[in-house]
Amino acid sequence: PFEKALMELIDQRGFDARMLAQKTKVDETWLRSLIAGNRVDCEIDALSRLAVDLGIEVPLFVGRAVEAILRRE
């Protein structure tokens, strides 16, 4: 699942949610909810910044993130 892959990327890059939120200038609560699989607003700019700072191709990461977000109930 997206959430597991995201957490693995964060760990591999040596971040935790707080550090990544500060680095990417995204709301920490939003990021923690994204990681946890909770419903969040689909913030394309924030997802793009996360991709860049995690070293992932932006269209690929954002596409998968948006799909995961839209599938949440």
Side-chain angles (χ1 to χ4, degrees):
F2 173 80
E3 296 79 13
K4 182 179 178 187
L6 176 58
M7 196 64 236
E8 288 175 5
L9 282 171
I10 292 169
D11 288 343
Q12 289 173 359
R13 302 306 192 268
F15 291 116
D16 61 27
R18 179 177 300 185
M19 290 168 53
L20 185 58
Q22 289 173 347
K23 180 172 176 49
T24 58
K25 296 181 175 70
V26 301
D27 180 75
E28 184 180 344
T29 302
W30 176 86
L31 179 58
R32 287 184 184 279
S33 293
L34 178 69
I35 294 167
N38 299 327
R39 293 192 86 180
V40 295
D41 290 334
C42 192
E43 298 183 21
I44 303 298
D45 290 341
L47 293 169
S48 296
R49 290 193 304 274
L50 286 172
V52 169
D53 286 334
L54 289 171
I56 303 300
E57 184 182 346
V58 173
L60 177 65
F61 180 86
V62 172
R64 290 193 178 163
V66 168
E67 180 180 6
I69 290 167
L70 293 175
R71 291 185 182 274
R72 295 175 183 178
E73 295 183 18

